[in-house]
Amino acid sequence: EVQLQASGGGLVQAGGSLRLSCTISGFTFDDYAMGWFRQAPGKEREPVGCISSSNGGTYYVDAVKGRFAMSFDNAAENTVYLQMNSLKPDDTAVYYCAVDFENTYCTDYWLGMDYWGKGTQVTVSS
């Protein structure tokens, strides 16, 4: 059974940084695309970005470009990090990681993913 475990959330002041991680277990595929999404209170879930293990490509929504960065753990290929810098109160949300084993190049990743983690809360105070 494929499972995703996201961690690293917390409370941080505006301008601060957090690093989220997401570890996939129970899979046998060689490649995948991992998307990060977030949902703020009272709002719909929205994409944050996606990273492809097929080509190493990373894709970000405009709201986080230049502030957020995704990467693979060099030692554990089933772990992805989301480094979040220059955080703003608007970044407050529950952050989810999700994985797709068929569409491994992040093409239109926001339309749907195969498996989802439970989310981790990120709160940015002003």
Side-chain angles (χ1 to χ4, degrees):
E1 179 185 3
V2 176
Q3 293 185 332
L4 285 76
Q5 181 66 50
S7 62
L11 173 64
V12 64
Q13 289 186 333
S17 299
L18 281 175
R19 189 178 77 165
L20 307 184
S21 66
C22 182
T23 300
I24 316 169
S25 61
F27 75 107
T28 58
F29 296 91
D30 291 332
D31 292 308
Y32 60 89
M34 179 173 288
W36 285 91
F37 299 79
R38 65 187 182 183
Q39 186 167 20
K43 295 186 178 180
E44 294 186 353
R45 186 174 62 199
E46 61 180 12
V48 172
C50 184
I51 184 168
S52 167
S53 75
S54 294
N55 62 4
T58 53
Y59 310 91
Y60 304 93
V61 298
D62 288 345
V64 307
K65 278 181 182 177
R67 301 189 297 121
F68 290 13
M70 292 173 288
S71 61
F72 294 103
D73 186 315
N74 291 330
E77 62 184 12
N78 62 332
T79 296
V80 172
Y81 298 112
L82 176 64
Q83 178 68 43
M84 305 185 297
N85 299 324
S86 302
L87 283 162
K88 305 174 182 179
D90 284 348
D91 295 318
T92 295
V94 177
Y95 283 71
Y96 298 90
C97 57
V99 68
D100 194 325
F101 296 114
E102 296 181 355
N103 173 23
T104 64
Y105 288 89
C106 294
T107 305
D108 296 339
Y109 68 94
W110 55 87
L111 295 179
M113 306 292 281
D114 292 336
Y115 300 93
W116 292 78
K118 289 186 178 181
T120 184
Q121 176 71 46
V122 171
T123 303
V124 184
S125 63
S126 57

